[in-house]
Structures are given as C-alpha cells and as structure tokens.
Amino acid sequence: MITWLNTRSPRPWWALALLASLIAAWIPLAPILAPLVRIDRLAQMLDSRTAMLLWRSIWMSSGAGLVAIFLGWPYAIMACRLRFPGAGLFKLLMPLPLLLPPLMVAQAWFGLTGMTGAWASIFTFGVCYAPLPALLASRSLAYQSAAAHESALLIGPGFAIGEMLRISFLPAMIGACFAFLFAASDFAVPDYFATVGDLFHVYAAEIFGNSRNYDYAAGATSSLPLVLLGFLVLLGTANLQRRQMNFETSHGRSATGLNLRTGQFFSSGLCLALIVVLLLAPLGRIIYETGMQGPLSERSWSEVSSAAFHDAVTRGRDDVLRTLSYSGLAGLMCLVLAPLWAHMLLKSRSIRRFALMIGVTLPLLVPSVALGFGSILMFNQPWLENFYNSIWLPALLVAGRFLPIAVWIMVERMGRIPEAQEDAAALAGCGYLTRLFRYRLGPVRSAWWLAAGLVVAFGVRELDFAILLPAANQSAAVRYYNALHFSRDNFVAAYGLVLAILLFLPVMLFAWWRNLRPSQA
Amino acid sequence: MSSPLLNVQSLQKSFGAQKILVDLNLQLEAGQRISIQGPSGCGKSTLLRILAGLESPDDGTISLSGKAANHKQYILLQPWQRSTQMVFQDLGLWPTRSVLQHVIDVRKASNLTDPKGEGEKILNQLGLGHLLKRRPGKLSGGEARRLAFARVMALEPKLILLDEAFSSLDPDNREQGFEMLEQVLASTGAAVILVTHDPAEAERLGGTAYRMMEGQLSCV
C-alpha cells in the first residue's frame, strides 16, 4: 500500500491536486465565468450605473493600496533592517493587523474618529492590508546580499537605506496590488460605513444585493467585471514578481541590521506610531467598547465588560467551534494540496506554468460573495443535500479560495531549495512523496505550517460567502456581522476580541516556535 | 614625520570561545601593497571587515591617516568616513541599479565632481562603456567583476580591501582581474590589502606578503 502511495511518478498526485481544486474552487466559478461565452451579455452588464460603481470600487481600492504601502513599507524597513530598541517586537507584531477582521477595524475607527463614507473605507482597508506590503518587503530585505548592503554602507547610511528602499519597492507594490484585490471584492466594510454614515455603494455591495431577491445567477454573473479587473491586476503583479526575481542576489550570508545611532530613537518612535495606527488603537478602542455604556447606567466599565465577555463566550461558543472546524479542515486540505500545487508549478515551464498559476489563483480574484452564489447554484441539488448542509462545503470553499496564498508561499520557499537535492533523491530511487515532503519540503517545513495556518486564519475571518451559505451561517463572522448591524456594541466588541485572540494565538505560537529553531531557507 | 595610512595595534577579536585575532599589529603606508594568506576560517576576512568598520573588534586600536578609527570595541569612524573601499568575493553589486548608476551613485553620495562624466570615463576605461544601462543580473561574471572595480575607482579611496576578490576565477580571468586592479591603483594611488588563500595571487600582487597563523600576522 505504502509502495503504491509512494509511486515515483508525480502525476497521480498532481492529478489529485487538480481534482481537489476542481471541486473546491473551479466548479463554483463556472456560473461566474459563464458570461464570457456571451459577449452581448457581458456588454449589457456594464450599464452607466454599474460602470460608475465599478469605477468607484477601482479608485477606493487604489486608495486602499496606496495607504497600505504608505504604512506597511516603511514599517517593514524599520522593523526588519534597522537596529533600535524594540525592533524585534515590532517585527513580531507586523503580521497581526492582517488577522483582524476588517469589519472590526472599521467599527473601531468609526468609534475613534466618527469617520464614514468612502474615505473611511479606504483608510480601513489600508490599515487592514498594510501587513501585505510589509511582509513581502521584509522577505525581500531578508534576502538582500550582505555584500551588497555592506558596499552601500561604505558609501553612507543614507545610501544603504536607499538601497533597502530600492530592493523592497517591487515586493511592497505587489503587496499593494493584493490589498487592491481584497479591498475591491469586500462589500462588508463599505456597507458598514454606509449604514452608520452617508449612503454610498460599491460594486461588491451591488453583487451582494442580488441575495436579497434570491437572484443567485445574477449575483454570480454580475461579478465578472471584478474578476476581469482582478485578472489584470494579477498580470501586473506577475510582471512585478518577474522583475523582482532579477534583483535577488543573496548567496548565503544575509545583510544585518543598520545602526542609525541617534536616528534609532526616531525609528523607534515612528514604528510605535505606525503600530498604534495598525493594531493598538483599533484593539484599544474595541477593548474600551466592551464596557461602554449609556449615561444613565449605574454599572462600572469592568462589570459591563465582564458581562460582555461572558455573553460572547457562552453565546458565541458554538459558532466559534463550527468556524474553527471548517477552517481547520480547510487548513488540513491545504497542508496536502499546497506542496503538490507548488511543486507542480515549479516543475512546469512557460505557458503551462502560466495556465496553472491562473487556475490556482482564480478563486482569490473572485469576490467571495460571488463564490457563495456560485456554490449555491452548483451544489444546492437534491442529490447533494447532505453535503450542501455539512461543514464540508464551507471547508472546501475556504480551502479553494485561500489555497493560492498557501501555494504562493510554498512556491517562494520551495523554489529556494536547490533542485539537485531532489534530483539526488530521485537517483537514489526515492518515491515522489519522499522526494517532495522530505527533501524539497523538509528544509522549509515552518513555511508549510505557516501557509496552512494562514488558510485557517483567513477562513475564520471570512464573512462574505459565510452569510450566503446555510452551512456557514452559524459561523463566528456571521454572528459578528449580525450583532454589529443590530448595534449590540458590548457583545460585538467582546466577541471581536475573542476572535482576534483566536487568530493571533497560532501566529504568535508559530513565531515563538520558529525562534526556537535554527534559521531556514 | 607623517602618520602611516593605516596603523593597527594589538587588535583582538573572538567569536565565543574561539580567538580569531590575537594582539595583531599592522602598518601600511600610502600606495603600499600587502597580501594576507591563510587557510579558510583563520580570520582574514574578519580583519578586513574590522578595518572597513563593518565589524567591531574586542580590543585594540586602529587609526587611519592619524585619525583614530577604533578604540577597543568602539567604532569611532563609521565605514563611510574611512575613505576605504572593499571588493567582496561575491562582489556586492546592487541588483536594482544599472552599470552607470553604480558609479554615478557612489560619486554623488561622496560629493565627488562630475558624477556622470567621470563615471562614463571610468566605465569606458574598464571596458564597460557599451553596457551602461544593463543591470548586474544581466552581466557576465567578468563584466560584473569589472563593475565592482569601477565602483571602487569611482570613489577614489585611499585604501582598497580585496576579500578573495580573485578566488574562483580561472587563470586567464584572474590575470585580467589583476590588470584591472593595476589600472585602478594607477588611477587612485590607493594602498591595497588582498586577502587570499592562494600564494600565486599574493605573488602576482607584489608588495609585502603576510601569513595569518593563530590570529597573528607573520611575514612570508
């Protein structure tokens, strides 16, 4: 049995990965992509009103990308490559804002500033997705050659910082492109700001609006312009990535931190200011809101807050457990699928590689709401009733939607392992799974866990398709969304914090575990 | 009497329990050439990095043209204040900058005159005049090495440190590398310290040859 599983050819395993993607990701996409074969329907889709909404989504998402790069890029350079008190802690905190549900950040900043409308959405998305440019920039900085950095340092500290900016600019731009994609397909944050302030619509909200009259087909097909927009952004991102590959020169020794002497206090202060905006201020506000009360209330802040937490834990426990169940299942699926997909991509060339990359990325380009519509249309069949109502459906959808993130991480890390290691194992007669999991994946095992962990985290904070699918209705994100719209502020804040702790915990544990281990490729 | 270009006294450096440099002394006059040979891991590169200010010693003093550059473990002159340039084994070229930008950048950063004109002149001199817009990733090994030397030449340093700069080259390319170094030295009048594990390279450089043994230098 084991011999059969460990066949020398990768093809059966790659076929399995393709089959899994077909069920988890591509089948629900079919109704969304259907108008592509009917050009006349495509033209009808963009009347003047929807074109205006699409344009609004584009500039709102562009603004979010700009805010994300403006906040995330300098933070990454300071936290990762300058030496100052607390730099390690700032680096550790860098990914955390990405794990906060955007709706919670919106609620916090509305509470702090009272801002509403499109600018509030831009700012919220920028804050939520600033870790994307930061993480990608920090990765490229980690691979800067020590000799290149030291050559620059011999010229001057300003020049060395300039070189850091140049080397990390394209990755930061790629992060901003992803921020654009996520912001463009999110309906919940603009919807929230439209509810608490002046009414305004974006394209993703227009797609979601189809759920009110149960017109799932229209909902699925109307998302196509956003998918095409996402596709264009992805092409741009791939071009940036290709250009960045030419800039990576590290051979072994990586550059160390730069000590700016008196400038270190400025860096420390700036980093603190940025993390306050990205993480501490929203969290602080949410903590405050757990015990917030009316002027006539006679209870203390701590009494109200404890009651809110008690309420959140007792009433929301089942939803949290259900969410963790399907997100955990999705993480497990990606634990198997991501290395297979990554290896398939690394072994493919030119057009085949490009086609596979598009195929695996497509579910992330589609607005999550549309993926929900597509799933309803394809899986809500009498003969699939049990599957449709089980947690397997949201688990599959979470895995399919966020698999691209896991695959990109694995491609990036596994691509740095010399192919000769795997070739030597093949010459020694090792089977495919041994070659893949022991020799190609072994040295980057921490990245493997990180990839699956991210899928779980994104699954927990996923709201848009969870609202639509009956099997995911009883989830943490949906309970949060409903409570927020019914203005149950104390409960919402406490529940949001419980979710944030649940999301932060694995990341912090992972960071702690990685710090215990010697550095990896 | 004028101060020597470089004066190193009782330099010490350890990594954990392993002593790398032990009471090391060295003097170098302007325009002088020295080579330091020794097996891998004996501390040759560490010495160069300390001289460049990229690493601090545990003890000892370093002065450059009479100015204190280090005192004990403290760096008094930062790397960019030492008028020193280094050619690394993997060259340390900047991947995002073109060939011409490499030399313009360093001349601008050091406030040297006519960055573009002088830069082009240097690049033409080293046979890179036809590759001005190319990035390091698109250069051959030999061209990249020439660019590393062009960058040194553009800065007009007083001291050039070569860290295994010709290792891993075949004999023909190595000879070309030395010819290029001669051009750079003739143009800048700099002193040079070459670190190598190959006696033939030390002989080709000329000047004084040292061997590093147990953290100290001895004349060959």
Side-chain angles (χ1 to χ4, degrees):
Chain A
M1 176 69 177
I2 287 171
T3 315
W4 180 83
L5 281 173
N6 205 3
T7 164
R8 291 204 177 108
S9 167
R11 287 175 197 279
W13 292 102
W14 289 354
L16 179 77
L18 289 168
L19 181 68
S21 285
L22 177 74
I23 300 168
W26 296 334
I27 287 179
L29 291 179
I32 299 164
L33 302 178
L36 278 178
V37 295
R38 293 276 308 275
I39 300 295
D40 53 328
R41 283 195 64 187
L42 195 62
Q44 281 168 11
M45 234 182 261
L46 278 180
D47 57 25
S48 61
R49 182 175 164 278
T50 48
M52 187 269 289
L53 287 176
L54 186 62
W55 172 241
R56 186 180 287 166
S57 280
I58 290 173
W59 75 254
M60 190 191 74
S61 310
S62 307
L66 280 176
V67 173
I69 204 170
F70 179 74
L71 296 173
W73 187 29
Y75 185 86
I77 289 177
M78 288 186 290
C80 299
R81 291 297 301 283
L82 301 187
R83 278 193 222 151
F84 57 84
L89 179 66
F90 287 123
K91 192 177 170 188
L92 194 70
L93 295 175
M94 191 160 63
L96 296 189
L98 189 63
L99 302 177
L100 288 178
L103 205 51
M104 189 171 122
V105 178
Q107 180 199 0
W109 278 105
F110 171 68
L112 281 168
T113 63
M115 63 180 172
T116 59
W119 293 108
S121 300
I122 288 172
F123 178 76
T124 302
F125 283 132
V127 165
C128 287
Y129 296 118
L132 290 172
L135 289 169
L136 293 175
S138 70
R139 192 74 196 150
S140 71
L141 289 167
Y143 282 107
Q144 187 188 10
S145 141
H149 169 64
E150 286 163 359
S151 304
L153 199 56
L154 289 171
I155 313 294
F159 195 81
I161 291 176
E163 187 56 17
M164 287 179 204
L165 286 167
R166 282 190 287 271
I167 200 110
S168 59
F169 174 66
L170 290 181
M173 281 292 291
I174 293 172
C177 287
F178 286 123
F180 174 95
L181 285 179
F182 286 125
S185 62
D186 191 313
F187 85 92
V189 168
D191 183 56
Y192 171 75
F193 282 119
T195 310
V196 294
D198 293 336
L199 198 65
F200 80 101
H201 275 302
V202 290
Y203 198 87
E206 181 74 2
I207 299 169
F208 181 69
N210 289 293
S211 68
R212 297 199 178 96
N213 48 5
Y214 303 100
D215 194 349
Y216 301 130
T221 52
S222 64
S223 66
L224 189 59
L226 266 190
V227 179
L228 294 177
L229 178 69
F231 182 69
L232 287 177
V233 174
L234 185 72
L235 286 183
T237 308
N239 184 37
L240 292 176
Q241 174 68 22
R242 190 178 50 76
R243 285 170 60 192
Q244 177 64 19
M245 293 295 274
N246 297 327
F247 296 160
E248 296 200 349
T249 56
S250 178
H251 303 290
R253 201 164 61 93
S254 291
T256 53
L258 174 62
N259 189 347
L260 285 181
R261 297 171 163 260
T262 50
Q264 60 181 298
F265 297 105
F266 173 75
S267 313
S268 192
L270 191 55
C271 253
L272 182 64
L274 286 171
I275 202 66
V276 163
V277 172
L278 295 175
L279 185 71
L280 302 182
L283 274 184
R285 174 68 196 187
I286 294 295
I287 291 170
Y288 169 71
E289 286 195 6
T290 59
M292 208 169 65
Q293 54 203 306
L296 299 178
S297 171
E298 290 179 349
R299 292 192 299 168
S300 68
W301 180 90
S302 56
E303 281 173 343
V304 178
S305 178
S306 334
F309 274 110
H310 182 260
D311 207 17
V313 172
T314 50
R315 295 176 58 189
R317 188 171 44 205
D318 289 347
D319 294 344
V320 169
L321 286 176
R322 191 177 174 83
T323 306
L324 285 178
S325 306
Y326 69 68
S327 302
L329 272 175
L332 282 176
M333 286 182 220
C334 289
L335 213 54
V336 178
L337 293 176
L340 290 170
W341 260 102
H343 198 236
M344 190 160 46
L345 281 164
L346 286 168
K347 291 284 183 187
S348 307
R349 293 285 173 267
S350 59
I351 294 177
R352 189 173 151 204
R353 184 184 171 126
F354 180 73
L356 286 170
M357 187 51 106
I358 296 296
V360 76
T361 310
L362 209 51
L364 202 63
L365 301 181
V366 173
S368 193
V369 176
L371 204 63
F373 287 135
S375 309
I376 293 170
L377 288 167
M378 299 305 285
F379 295 122
N380 189 13
Q381 313 290 346
W383 58 282
L384 285 175
E385 194 184 344
N386 288 339
F387 168 69
Y388 184 71
N389 291 315
S390 73
I391 62 164
W392 284 99
L393 179 59
L396 272 177
L397 287 180
V398 169
R401 179 160 172 80
F402 299 113
L403 179 66
I405 295 173
V407 171
W408 292 332
I409 292 173
M410 298 315 301
V411 167
E412 198 267 338
R413 303 290 171 95
M414 283 165 64
R416 293 181 192 276
I417 304 297
E419 206 147 305
Q421 290 183 13
E422 193 191 327
D423 293 343
L427 288 173
C430 294
Y432 175 67
L433 291 186
T434 310
R435 287 187 333 250
L436 173 64
F437 286 96
R438 186 179 296 164
Y439 298 108
R440 201 70 194 253
L441 198 59
V444 291
R445 206 161 279 162
S446 63
W448 188 31
W449 289 107
L450 171 74
L454 276 178
V455 171
V456 176
F458 277 107
V460 170
R461 42 167 272 180
E462 175 59 44
L463 166 70
D464 294 15
F465 71 64
I467 289 180
L468 297 172
L469 291 179
N473 265 180
Q474 287 172 302
S475 66
V478 175
R479 180 175 278 271
Y480 184 84
Y481 175 79
N482 286 336
L484 186 65
H485 280 266
F486 285 105
S487 298
R488 300 181 54 231
D489 293 341
N490 303 131
F491 173 82
V492 168
Y495 197 54
L497 276 176
V498 170
L499 283 183
I501 290 165
L502 272 176
L503 291 169
F504 285 176
L505 211 58
V507 176
M508 300 305 273
L509 284 175
F510 172 78
W512 174 73
W513 174 71
R514 200 174 56 169
N515 285 342
L516 292 179
R517 294 164 57 84
S519 64
Q520 298 189 346
Chain B
M1 193 180 130
S2 66
S3 311
L5 174 70
L6 172 71
N7 190 3
V8 178
Q9 296 289 328
S10 308
L11 201 63
Q12 305 215 24
K13 179 73 181 175
S14 303
F15 288 123
Q18 193 186 1
K19 289 188 172 174
I20 302 293
L21 305 177
V22 183
D23 265 336
L24 185 142
N25 297 303
L26 178 67
Q27 278 203 353
L28 189 67
E29 298 295 338
Q32 197 184 339
R33 302 171 179 204
I34 68 167
S35 59
I36 300 173
Q37 302 167 52
S40 297
C42 72
K44 308 183 298 285
S45 294
T46 304
L47 173 62
L48 286 200
R49 291 170 56 75
I50 290 173
L51 295 181
L54 296 169
E55 205 154 310
S56 55
D58 296 337
D59 204 353
T61 57
I62 301 171
S63 58
L64 286 160
S65 306
K67 271 189 187 172
N70 274 74
H71 181 66
K72 299 194 171 186
Q73 73 269 40
Y74 302 108
I75 292 178
L76 304 177
L77 277 184
Q78 293 300 320
W80 53 92
Q81 297 169 324
R82 296 187 177 209
S83 196
T84 299
Q85 265 301 296
M86 192 158 169
V87 178
F88 298 84
Q89 190 172 3
D90 63 355
L91 305 180
L93 299 175
W94 302 312
T96 58
R97 309 305 278 163
S98 71
V99 166
L100 182 60
Q101 281 167 337
H102 266 78
V103 284
I104 290 181
D105 282 353
V106 296
R107 283 192 76 85
K108 270 188 184 166
S110 305
N111 294 322
L112 294 169
T113 54
D114 192 11
K116 188 160 187 280
E118 280 297 315
E120 283 179 349
K121 206 167 111 187
I122 290 166
L123 291 170
N124 282 325
Q125 206 178 329
L126 292 182
L128 292 171
H130 61 297
L131 301 169
L132 297 182
K133 289 189 175 170
R134 206 170 276 190
R135 292 221 164 88
K138 303 277 181 192
L139 297 177
S140 70
E143 289 164 348
R145 200 162 297 272
R146 271 184 269 164
L147 178 57
F149 277 98
R151 183 170 63 184
V152 169
M153 209 160 153
L155 261 170
E156 302 171 11
K158 290 181 183 161
L159 174 61
I160 299 174
L161 307 170
L162 304 176
D163 186 7
E164 308 261 13
F166 304 116
S167 302
S168 75
L169 292 182
D170 61 58
D172 285 348
N173 276 318
R174 187 177 298 174
E175 184 50 35
Q176 279 180 14
F178 272 107
E179 283 168 13
M180 195 161 49
L181 176 64
E182 294 296 349
Q183 275 182 288
V184 174
L185 294 178
S187 143
T188 58
V192 63
I193 301 178
L194 168 70
V195 149
T196 179
H197 56 261
D198 184 351
E201 282 184 24
E203 196 177 324
R204 175 65 181 80
L205 178 73
T208 315
Y210 290 97
R211 171 169 288 279
M212 184 172 268
M213 290 284 282
E214 293 171 349
Q216 291 190 323
L217 293 175
S218 55
C219 273
V220 176

